[in-house]
Every structure is written in structure tokens, then in C-alpha cells.
Amino acid sequence: MTYIIAEPCIDLKDRSCVDVCPVDCIHEASRILVIDPEECIDCGACEPECPVEAIFPEDALPDKWSAFVRVNYAYGEGLPRVDQLVEELRRDDEEGSSGVREPRIPPPDAPGGTDALDPPRLND
């Protein structure tokens, strides 16, 4: 078993997990961090450090994010392949066919739209 980094990490890439990994198995792609399953020693140190709760043991990954097993395992094919898979998932999600992305709800006092990834709206 290895750990998997899933959708909540996309475009956020908080590196707290990288700092605690004893074997440096977490790598940074363009839009997401991924765990190399060949290097991961299944220690679990990364999981509680993730502020967006994007890290799961592979056997506990929510079904809606099962596509991220492939994304993490693609590290062995190179970071460009990871980037390609993430872009495919995001494109499918924008078309409504994947159901991968969940809106990130900002705190009520945060500027911006209804999704934390939306840029803040400027008063006209």
C-alpha cells in the first residue's frame, strides 16, 4: 500500500507534507504534488500534515478520486505525464463528465466568489 495525493491538492500544493516525508517521495508537478509509490515507505507522516486533506492511504481513497491513483503512479513515467493526466481530469470535470472537482468553499468573510479558486471580485 502507498499513499495517494488527490484532487484537493490541485493548484494549492501546500508543501507541509514534503517537509515531513522521511524518504523524499513527494514530488511537485505543475499543478499537484504526487507520491512516488516506489519510494513511499507507507509511514503516514504526510497525511496529518496536509491542510486540505488531500492525502489518503490508497485503500482508503474516496471513490470519487480513484483517478488520482493513476496520477500518482504516473510519476514513474515522468512529471509531464502527471501533468497530462491532471489536465485531462480537469478538462473532463469542466465538461461535467468526471465529477472529480469539488468547489472549495471559502470562509464567509473571504473576498471573492463562491469558490475559493475563483479570483476575488473587484468592486466596479
Side-chain angles (χ1 to χ4, degrees):
M1 180 191 73
T2 187
Y3 281 77
I4 301 295
I5 298 179
E7 190 277 336
C9 185
I10 293 178
D11 294 331
L12 296 177
K13 299 191 310 187
D14 181 278
R15 297 180 51 85
S16 300
C17 57
V18 175
D19 296 336
V20 299
C21 180
V23 294
D24 297 324
C25 70
I26 302 172
H27 305 280
E28 186 170 354
S30 295
R31 298 183 66 189
I32 193 170
L33 299 172
V34 291
I35 295 175
D36 180 352
E38 297 298 319
E39 296 176 339
C40 180
I41 59 170
D42 307 327
C43 69
C46 56
E47 186 179 11
E49 295 301 316
C50 181
V52 294
E53 299 179 355
I55 303 175
F56 299 87
E58 185 175 354
D59 61 359
L61 183 69
D63 289 340
K64 64 185 173 188
W65 292 328
S66 63
F68 287 89
V69 171
R70 185 171 171 214
V71 171
N72 283 254
Y73 276 79
Y75 176 77
E77 300 172 44
L79 289 174
R81 180 66 177 143
V82 171
D83 292 338
Q84 178 187 14
L85 290 172
V86 170
E87 290 305 317
E88 288 172 7
L89 286 171
R90 299 306 284 206
R91 186 175 45 251
D92 290 348
D93 203 54
E94 288 170 4
E95 295 170 1
S97 60
S98 76
V100 169
R101 185 176 182 273
E102 291 185 352
R104 292 178 173 87
I105 308 300
D109 58 346
T114 59
D115 187 322
L117 294 181
D118 290 338
R121 293 186 193 131
L122 300 175
N123 294 333
D124 295 326

